Amino acid sequence: MVLMKFYKLQKQVDFLEENKTCSAVFHNYNILNENKLIPFKHQKLIKDYVFNIDAILDDWFIQTATLVFRKSVLDSNKRISDLHSFDRTLVYDCALNGNIGFINNYMSVYRVHANGITKSRNQKLIYENNILKSII
């Protein structure tokens, strides 16, 4: 479950219109875990910034629900629909098609729960295997 600010999408679309070299943009978010709201903090996410493919491959810090991307990213990659879970593949494809912008505003809440797909060991292995298959 993701809750978001009502202006989130417009702010991201405006960012992409102003930054033609970016194929996508994401923002900061809060995590709701066991009824406790925790701001996501990452050393790279301290100000508005633009990331390239090297920064994205180096570390994972983008929550999929915070991402808005250009349609051209999907047009350039037909393999996404074949994947069980394609969050990372999508972000990597965005980074291969341009920079990825960051807006340092908390505009959504990500709810974590014990039965989520990335919490299950078997599902996580399937997820990681799909990522590797799609890149190779």
Side-chain angles (χ1 to χ4, degrees), residues 33-115:
N33 190 356
E34 305 291 328
N35 296 324
K36 182 178 179 184
L37 195 63
I38 306 162
F40 178 76
K41 301 229 186 260
H42 190 284
Q43 62 204 20
K44 290 183 179 178
L45 305 180
I46 55 173
K47 61 180 180 173
D48 290 357
Y49 195 74
V50 174
F51 296 93
N52 63 22
I53 186 71
D54 295 326
I56 303 299
L57 289 172
D58 183 45
D59 195 4
W60 183 250
F61 49 87
I62 299 175
Q63 196 341 293
T64 309
T66 70
L67 187 69
V68 170
F69 54 90
R70 298 184 191 279
K71 183 181 177 295
S72 58
V73 172
L74 290 181
D75 293 341
S76 70
N77 185 347
K78 303 300 181 195
R79 69 179 178 239
I80 287 178
S81 62
D82 297 331
L83 300 174
H84 175 69
S85 178
F86 56 82
D87 301 26
R88 289 184 188 225
T89 304
L90 177 61
V91 172
Y92 295 155
D93 283 341
C94 288
L96 289 171
N97 282 277
N99 293 321
I100 297 181
F102 170 68
I103 300 171
N104 192 19
N105 286 17
Y106 287 87
M107 295 192 282
S108 66
V109 176
Y110 178 68
R111 182 177 156 251
V112 177
H113 58 93
N115 295 321

